[in-house]
Amino acid sequence: MAQLSEAIRKMNMAITERFNQLRKLYVLSDSVSRSESLADIYRLGLHAIEVGVGVSRSAVLLFDEQGVIHFEASHGLSEEYRAAVDGHSPWRPDTTNAGPVLVPDVRQDASLGHLWGAFEREGIRALACVPLTNQGQLLGKLMLYSDAPREFSETDMGIALSVASHIGFAVGRERGRQRR
């Protein structure tokens, strides 16, 4: 009987957690549709990522007109870290069909060796780099950071891709307004 009670308790916790994740995505979607400022959308998006995926640090970076990627918003990252990795992207700005880049342990990825010192000082052990796109154009990336080695799940990536889609739409819409 105790095992059944424990199983029900865990199931209820999982349902509550999923409900909270979906609620954060709804708030983000509603904010985008009501044309809130990009700063508000970034803040809500990063909060949705942190709650939905369970990471304590995240960031939005966008390509500038020269094709260099820069931080637009971040949470939980030091100025030193942002300066050290500013300009780094796994994709070129003209990349089409960019997919997420998942690094379960930064210490095991030799292609990031030049950034190991920055990761070490910041306490980053795993990361996910999710493309921000709008109408097929790569705009930047949404970054998720973990303090411990981590395999990001399909559910994690579903949430991250949903948030990235909302942010990408909002950035694309704002850039369209600015061109007028």
Side-chain angles (χ1 to χ4, degrees):
M1 189 63 154
Q3 287 178 330
L4 179 60
S5 178
E6 179 63 17
I8 291 171
R9 186 185 69 75
K10 285 182 180 180
M11 186 171 47
N12 283 336
M13 286 176 54
I15 290 169
T16 299
E17 180 180 336
R18 184 68 176 148
F19 173 77
N20 287 333
Q21 292 168 343
L22 293 172
R23 187 171 43 130
K24 296 291 182 196
L25 291 175
Y26 170 78
V27 168
L28 176 62
S29 179
D30 186 52
S31 297
V32 170
S33 69
R34 288 190 286 125
S35 299
E36 293 190 28
S37 73
L38 282 179
D40 287 341
I41 291 168
Y42 296 153
R43 182 181 48 76
L44 291 167
L46 295 178
H47 185 68
I49 281 294
E50 290 165 11
V51 170
V53 178
V55 295
S56 59
R57 292 176 279 191
S58 56
V60 172
L61 295 90
L62 299 177
F63 287 107
D64 66 16
E65 292 178 5
Q66 290 74 41
V68 179
I69 201 160
H70 299 288
F71 283 87
E72 291 293 318
S74 66
H75 182 261
L77 298 171
S78 70
E79 184 64 38
E80 178 187 9
Y81 176 79
R82 290 191 309 265
V85 302
D86 194 59
H88 181 268
S89 175
W91 317 287
R92 294 170 30 106
D94 59 352
T95 300
T96 56
N97 300 318
V101 175
L102 309 177
V103 182
D105 189 343
V106 296
R107 293 179 184 170
Q108 303 300 314
D109 191 326
S111 71
L112 296 174
H114 63 290
L115 298 174
W116 284 349
F119 294 146
E120 187 70 29
R121 286 186 297 278
E122 198 72 8
I124 293 170
R125 287 297 307 275
L127 59 85
C129 186
V130 182
L132 295 174
T133 61
N134 185 47
Q135 298 180 345
Q137 180 186 8
L138 181 63
L139 304 173
K141 62 183 179 175
L142 174 65
M143 294 296 302
L144 293 69
Y145 301 96
S146 176
D147 300 341
R150 175 180 181 168
E151 295 281 343
F152 290 95
S153 70
E154 282 186 42
T155 300
D156 295 339
M157 284 301 93
I159 293 168
L161 288 166
S162 180
V163 170
S165 174
H166 284 86
I167 293 173
F169 175 80
V171 169
R173 183 182 60 200
E174 183 62 27
R175 287 184 176 177
R177 287 179 187 158
Q178 291 173 356
R179 287 186 201 118
R180 292 184 202 153

